[in-house]
């Protein structure tokens, strides 16, 4: 399958917070043919963003599409405006500062040529979405999305949210139209295309009685054993969603599902909104869904996708909650270790140098964004420690309070700490110690000395 956008269009409906003589969108180097603002042709230029993201030559430098509207259609403060961008070309993945790839990734196997490619595995954290559409690619600028993907008939194409229409055209192509009416971070969108076993089923959310569509897509090359294993994991997803719904409050979106693709060179999963994506192994792209990873990605629908980090330096918030949720689900539902025991083990046995990277600082280096210990493990330990300090009832009150206040929006580390201190009900010396606890655990560049037993 050719990796080519014959004719792509992005339409953005936005509200200006100031008068705009010029503005820029985040967009990599596809061939832009036309930009209009409020229906009138605009000037545009594609330039490299500044400063340089990384000194490593393989790392993609972000690009900007700078738009200068015609003076008669300049966006006015407080007014809605419409931008349309037409483009074409051969979308490329983005290489991040940690040298992993994201964005528009051709779904191919084996790892080295000659390869068979059946489409694209499209995941966008943190900046990959600008490899295939222009946007203000920042997690605080959420939007609702309509994703229309025209592909050869027989291919499956997946966007965020629910399937609004599947239109067969007379020329051997079909358009998949997905609509997501809940606010969505640009990094949580997708347009994955490929040869899939695609099914639409449904599940009932126990806490609300709602019926949710379940859209699953499994790589068509999965063999019988792989298919059986993937289906065994997918069969438990409704129970996992109900587990988190019981603990955190109603599932934030209107559908769920999964994409299990064969995409070599990826080797990670991503919590794409409503449709977590699983790439299988890095080398072989073996289609698979680990049950514990599935718990992690589903928990992200609450923490990460609904209540979203404010800046990328707050990534521990997304990953700490998802990692802790996986610990908790695995312990209660899958024979895993007690999170308290995991905490004890990590606190006792993690080497000193691993504590030098603070979760909410990450040495100021984007290459550390997905470092396992500071972002995932220490993030989850911070939450588990708080649970031991305040007790289960207040811990889950914190989870629900965060979602009450920040669902469909963003939350900073400072807002998290303020909410956790408030929910604790502590006062005086206890409250001061709790504040010091968070400072040490989230900002400290040495092993924290304040532990739950100190309270
Ligand atoms: Zn995660």
């Amino acid at each position: 399958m050719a990796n080519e956008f014959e004719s792509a269009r992005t339409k953005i409906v936005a509200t200006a917070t100031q008068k705009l003589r010029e503005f820029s969108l985040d967009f990599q180097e596809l061939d832009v043919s036309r930009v209009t603002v409020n229906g009138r042709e605009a000037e545009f230029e594609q330039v490299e963003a500044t400063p340089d993201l990384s000194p490593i030559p393989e790392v993609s430098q972000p690009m900007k599409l700078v738009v200068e509207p015609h003076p008669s259609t300049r966006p006015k403060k407080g007014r809605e405006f419409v931008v349309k961008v037409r483009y074409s070309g051969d979308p490329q993945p983005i290489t991040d500062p940690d040298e992993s790839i994201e964005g528009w990734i051709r779904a191919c196997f084996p790892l080295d040529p000659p390869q068979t490619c059946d489409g694209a595995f499209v995941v966008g954290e943190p900046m990959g979405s600008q490899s295939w559409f222009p946007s203000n690619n920042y997690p605080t600028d959420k939007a609702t999305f309509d994703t229309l993907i025209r592909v050869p008939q027989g291919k499956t194409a997946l966007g965020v949210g629910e399937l609004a229409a599947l239109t067969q055209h007379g020329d051997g192509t079909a358009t998949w139209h997905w609509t997501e009416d809940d606010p969505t971070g640009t990094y949580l969108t997708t347009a994955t295309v490929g040869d899939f076993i695609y099914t639409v089923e449904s599940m009932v959310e126990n806490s609300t009685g709602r019926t949710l569509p379940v859209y699953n897509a499994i790589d068509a090359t999965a063999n019988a054993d792989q298919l059986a294993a993937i289906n065994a994991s997918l069969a438990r997803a409704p129970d996992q969603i109900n587990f988190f719904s019981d603990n955190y409050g109603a599932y934030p979106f209107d559908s769920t599902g999964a994409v299990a693709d064969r995409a070599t060179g990826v080797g990670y999963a991503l919590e794409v909104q409503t449709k977590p994506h699983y790439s299988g192994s890095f080398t072989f792209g073996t289609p698979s869904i680990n049950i514990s990873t599935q718990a992690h990605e589903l928990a992200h629908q609450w923490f990460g996708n609904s209540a979203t980090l404010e800046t990328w330096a707050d990534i521990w918030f997304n990953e700490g909650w998802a990692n802790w949720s996986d610990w908790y689900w695995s312990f209660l539902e899958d024979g895993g270790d007690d999170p308290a025991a995991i905490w004890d083990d990590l606190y006792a046995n993690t080497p000193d140098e691993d504590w030098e990277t603070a979760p909410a600082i990450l040495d100021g280096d984007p290459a550390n964004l997905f470092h396992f210990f500071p972002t995932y493990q220490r993030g989850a330990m911070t939450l588990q420690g708080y649970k031991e300090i305040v007790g289960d009832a207040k811990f889950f009150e914190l989870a629900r309070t965060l979602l009450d206040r920040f669902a469909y929006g963003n939350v900073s580390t400072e807002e998290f700490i303020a909410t956790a201190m408030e929910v604790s009900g502590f006062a005086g010396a206890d409250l001061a110690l709790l504040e010091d606890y968070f400072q040490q655990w989230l900002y400290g560049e040495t092993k924290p000395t304040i532990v739950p037993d100190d309270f």
Side-chain angles (χ1 to χ4, degrees):
M1 186 191 184
N3 188 58
E4 189 77 20
F5 291 168
E6 287 180 11
S7 171
R9 191 182 75 166
T10 296
K11 175 183 175 182
I12 300 170
V13 180
T15 302
T17 56
Q18 62 182 88
K19 185 179 174 185
L20 294 171
R21 290 174 169 275
E22 184 187 284
F23 59 88
S24 65
L25 300 171
D26 299 295
F27 193 41
Q28 296 307 100
E29 216 170 0
L30 286 158
D31 302 324
V32 176
S33 57
R34 186 163 193 247
V35 179
T36 64
V37 177
N38 293 329
R40 188 145 186 186
E41 196 97 13
E43 306 272 323
F44 63 90
E45 188 182 7
Q46 289 170 276
V47 299
E48 286 195 353
T50 52
D52 287 344
L53 182 61
S54 169
I56 303 169
E58 289 72 28
V59 170
S60 305
Q61 176 61 17
M63 301 281 296
K64 294 276 187 183
L65 173 63
V66 180
V67 178
E68 190 183 328
H70 187 274
S72 66
T73 61
R74 280 179 189 150
K76 295 186 174 73
K77 182 176 180 179
R79 299 280 285 275
E80 194 174 276
F81 66 105
V82 177
V83 184
K84 291 181 182 173
V85 181
R86 279 192 180 278
Y87 52 101
S88 59
D90 177 13
Q92 297 297 315
I94 282 177
T95 302
D96 288 332
D98 64 4
E99 299 184 67
S100 63
I101 56 170
E102 50 144 351
W104 190 275
I105 300 167
R106 291 193 80 177
C108 303
F109 64 95
L111 187 58
D112 298 310
Q115 295 177 313
T116 301
C117 304
D118 73 316
F121 181 76
V122 183
V123 286
E125 191 180 30
M127 54 176 271
S129 293
Q130 68 197 67
S131 69
W132 62 280
F133 73 95
S135 72
N136 184 28
N137 192 13
Y138 203 73
T140 48
D141 200 356
K142 294 189 178 189
T144 58
F145 278 86
D146 276 289
T147 313
L148 289 87
I149 313 158
R150 187 167 180 172
V151 291
Q153 276 171 10
K155 295 283 176 189
T156 299
L158 301 141
V160 288
E162 294 78 60
L163 186 67
L166 173 56
T167 308
Q168 309 290 338
H169 304 289
D171 62 355
T173 65
T175 298
W176 296 69
H177 175 185
W178 296 88
T179 185
E180 169 55 290
D181 67 359
D182 289 311
T184 308
T186 48
Y187 77 93
L188 295 166
T189 61
T190 191
T192 286
V193 175
D195 296 327
F196 288 106
I197 301 163
Y198 168 74
T199 57
V200 185
E201 292 172 5
S202 66
M203 64 163 282
V204 174
E205 183 182 38
N206 296 335
S207 68
T208 61
R210 284 190 304 168
T211 299
L212 303 169
V214 182
Y215 303 100
N216 288 331
I218 305 173
D219 197 292
T221 67
N223 66 31
D225 288 348
Q226 291 161 354
L227 199 54
I230 291 167
N231 279 322
S233 291
L234 291 176
R236 298 180 74 182
D239 283 348
Q240 290 178 318
I241 288 171
N242 275 316
F243 179 88
F244 296 128
S245 174
D246 290 344
N247 283 293
Y248 299 149
Y251 178 74
F253 308 118
D254 303 316
S255 65
T256 182
V259 174
D261 203 357
R262 174 174 245 189
T264 56
V266 186
Y268 60 81
L270 187 70
E271 64 269 23
V272 170
Q273 189 149 310
T274 66
K275 291 177 192 66
H277 273 47
Y278 306 89
S279 66
S281 69
F282 182 91
T283 308
F284 302 108
T286 311
S288 63
I289 301 179
N290 176 286
I291 192 68
S292 156
T293 305
Q294 181 171 277
H296 176 111
E297 307 308 340
L298 290 174
H300 266 311
Q301 305 302 313
W302 283 261
F303 292 104
N305 297 14
S306 177
T308 304
L309 47 66
E310 175 95 11
T311 75
W312 289 108
D314 302 315
I315 183 78
W316 77 269
F317 176 86
N318 286 12
E319 299 307 339
W321 276 104
N323 202 30
W324 184 85
S325 299
D326 169 28
W327 288 354
Y328 189 62
W329 176 84
S330 295
F331 172 53
L332 291 181
E333 303 289 328
D334 203 44
D337 291 338
D338 186 334
I342 298 173
W343 190 101
D344 290 346
D345 178 51
L346 288 170
Y347 190 74
N349 298 317
T350 301
D352 282 348
E353 60 265 30
D354 287 359
W355 297 99
E356 289 169 7
T357 302
I361 300 174
L362 298 176
D363 304 329
D365 185 348
N368 291 338
L369 214 49
F370 302 104
H371 265 201
F372 190 60
F373 184 73
T375 295
Y376 294 78
Q377 298 284 64
R378 188 165 156 185
M381 289 177 80
T382 305
L383 298 173
Q384 174 62 27
Y386 178 80
K387 181 167 175 284
E388 293 176 25
I389 292 165
V390 300
D392 284 13
K394 282 184 174 157
F395 177 82
F396 289 107
E397 186 186 333
L398 170 63
R400 287 168 178 266
T401 303
L402 288 167
L403 290 161
D404 281 347
R405 292 184 185 170
F406 303 107
Y408 308 110
N410 300 82
V411 51
S412 68
T413 297
E414 289 306 317
E415 286 168 326
F416 164 82
I417 293 172
T419 308
M421 288 174 59
E422 178 191 325
V423 169
S424 74
F426 288 3
D430 285 343
L431 188 63
L433 187 63
L434 186 60
E435 184 167 20
D436 290 345
Y437 166 86
F438 283 121
Q439 289 300 316
Q440 283 195 0
W441 279 84
L442 295 172
Y443 293 100
E445 295 181 331
T446 55
K447 183 176 178 176
T449 55
I450 303 173
V451 297
D453 284 349
D454 295 330
F455 289 83

